Amino acid sequence: MLENSTAAEAGALDQPATNIANIAKAGEHDLQKIQDQYDVERKKRLRPDGPAQYVSFTDEPTNIFHSNGNVTIDNSLLQQKKVRVLIVGAGFGGLLFAVRLLQSGFLRATEILSVDTAGGFGGTWWWNKYPGLACDVESYTYMPLLEETKHMLSQKYVNGPELREHANRIAGQWNLTGRALFQTVVNKLAWNHQDRQWTVHVTPHGQSPTAIHLILSSWLPGC
């Protein structure tokens, strides 16, 4: 009786294994069909120019910004020898850093300098300008300093132009508009321990003013 039970149990254990093997075999066939379909769709997206279609952010700024026009650089910013705070990035993050410092009474707007590869304030909202662009997060929680600027949103998920306008609104209200080097790439940051300050090398201007404090608020190297 014991031997028969053991044999029956062994047979029962073998059965699921056989079923699993059959399922796996069928699954392999389905996966191959899926892979074939992916290959078909992938070929539709391939371009003959390959990687050459992409813009390199190591190129000279004139090559990066040719389709966005040039901005006028205030030469007095380059002639300034030292600033207390240099902020790399002029999107909402960089603007918020600057505003909080000003609100704390730590320094004046003339002691702040922002550097960004873009041609204006806004960060990703300056770069992206395609039709239908909008914030995919509820804008009341995404956009900073709404109460301070007294700005009422036009809709729950605002569009790109309104986001760029808000960045400029913040810069204007806190006198930061003339305190930015746009279309400027940061190539090197060097800390001088003896002088206790940062030396910042940028393209295309060479060396920018030295800074006592440095804040990185960029989404791409050099922004």
Side-chain angles (χ1 to χ4, degrees), residues 25 56 88 99 104 106 127 155-156 167 173 181:
K25 185 176 181 180
S56 172
V88 182
V99 170
S104 70
F106 178 68
W127 287 104
Q155 53 191 330
K156 187 174 182 179
Q173 182 165 326
L181 288 175

Side-chain angles (χ1 to χ4, degrees), residues 101-207:
L101 287 170
L102 294 172
Q103 289 176 331
S104 70
F106 178 68
L107 73 176
R108 301 183 299 273
T110 54
E111 297 175 293
I112 298 175
L113 179 65
S114 297
V115 179
D116 201 304
T117 53
F121 292 102
T124 189
W125 303 108
W126 187 90
W127 287 104
N128 292 286
K129 299 174 182 176
Y130 54 85
L133 173 67
C135 182
D136 60 354
V137 178
E138 186 174 347
S139 300
Y140 287 104
T141 61
Y142 174 79
M143 296 171 67
L145 303 168
L146 288 174
E147 292 184 2
E148 290 87 342
T149 57
K150 296 181 173 57
H151 177 61
M152 296 296 295
L153 303 182
S154 63
Q155 53 191 330
K156 187 174 182 179
Y157 300 95
V158 303
N159 57 30
E162 185 170 347
L163 287 156
R164 286 193 296 276
E165 289 172 6
H166 187 58
N168 289 321
R169 181 181 300 109
I170 293 171
Q173 182 165 326
W174 278 276
N175 300 316
L176 298 168
T177 303
R179 300 298 307 167
L181 288 175
F182 292 121
Q183 294 189 353
T184 301
V185 178
V186 175
N187 298 314
K188 181 180 179 181
L189 300 169
W191 171 251
N192 187 317
H193 186 70
Q194 182 176 354
D195 296 335
R196 303 186 68 80
Q197 64 185 15
W198 290 93
T199 300
V200 184
H201 295 273
V202 298
T203 301
H205 315 296
Q207 182 175 327

Side-chain angles (χ1 to χ4, degrees), residues 4-164:
N4 291 337
S5 298
T6 303
E9 290 173 0
L13 291 174
D14 288 341
Q15 188 63 34
T18 302
N19 291 339
I20 292 172
N22 291 336
I23 293 171
K25 185 176 181 180
E28 289 176 3
H29 178 71
D30 293 339
L31 289 176
Q32 186 59 51
K33 288 178 62 177
I34 294 172
Q35 183 62 55
D36 292 343
Q37 185 61 39
Y38 269 106
D39 291 340
V40 170
E41 297 300 325
R42 178 178 178 274
K43 289 178 181 178
K44 294 179 182 179
R45 298 191 298 272
L46 291 178
R47 288 175 37 163
D49 48 354
Q53 67 185 284
Y54 302 110
V55 175
S56 172
F57 279 87
T58 60
D59 290 343
E60 290 297 314
T62 51
N63 295 331
I64 298 175
F65 309 118
H66 68 280
S67 62
N68 294 299
N70 293 317
V71 297
T72 301
I73 301 297
D74 186 351
N75 289 328
S76 64
L77 296 179
L78 300 174
Q79 295 169 1
Q80 190 172 355
K81 298 299 182 182
K82 180 186 291 187
V83 294
R84 292 186 68 184
V85 176
L86 187 140
I87 302 175
V88 182
F92 282 136
L95 285 168
L96 194 55
F97 271 122
V99 170
R100 294 306 187 211
L101 287 170
L102 294 172
Q103 289 176 331
S104 70
F106 178 68
L107 73 176
R108 301 183 299 273
T110 54
E111 297 175 293
I112 298 175
L113 179 65
S114 297
V115 179
D116 201 304
T117 53
F121 292 102
T124 189
W125 303 108
W126 187 90
W127 287 104
N128 292 286
K129 299 174 182 176
Y130 54 85
L133 173 67
C135 182
D136 60 354
V137 178
E138 186 174 347
S139 300
Y140 287 104
T141 61
Y142 174 79
M143 296 171 67
L145 303 168
L146 288 174
E147 292 184 2
E148 290 87 342
T149 57
K150 296 181 173 57
H151 177 61
M152 296 296 295
L153 303 182
S154 63
Q155 53 191 330
K156 187 174 182 179
Y157 300 95
V158 303
N159 57 30
E162 185 170 347
L163 287 156
R164 286 193 296 276

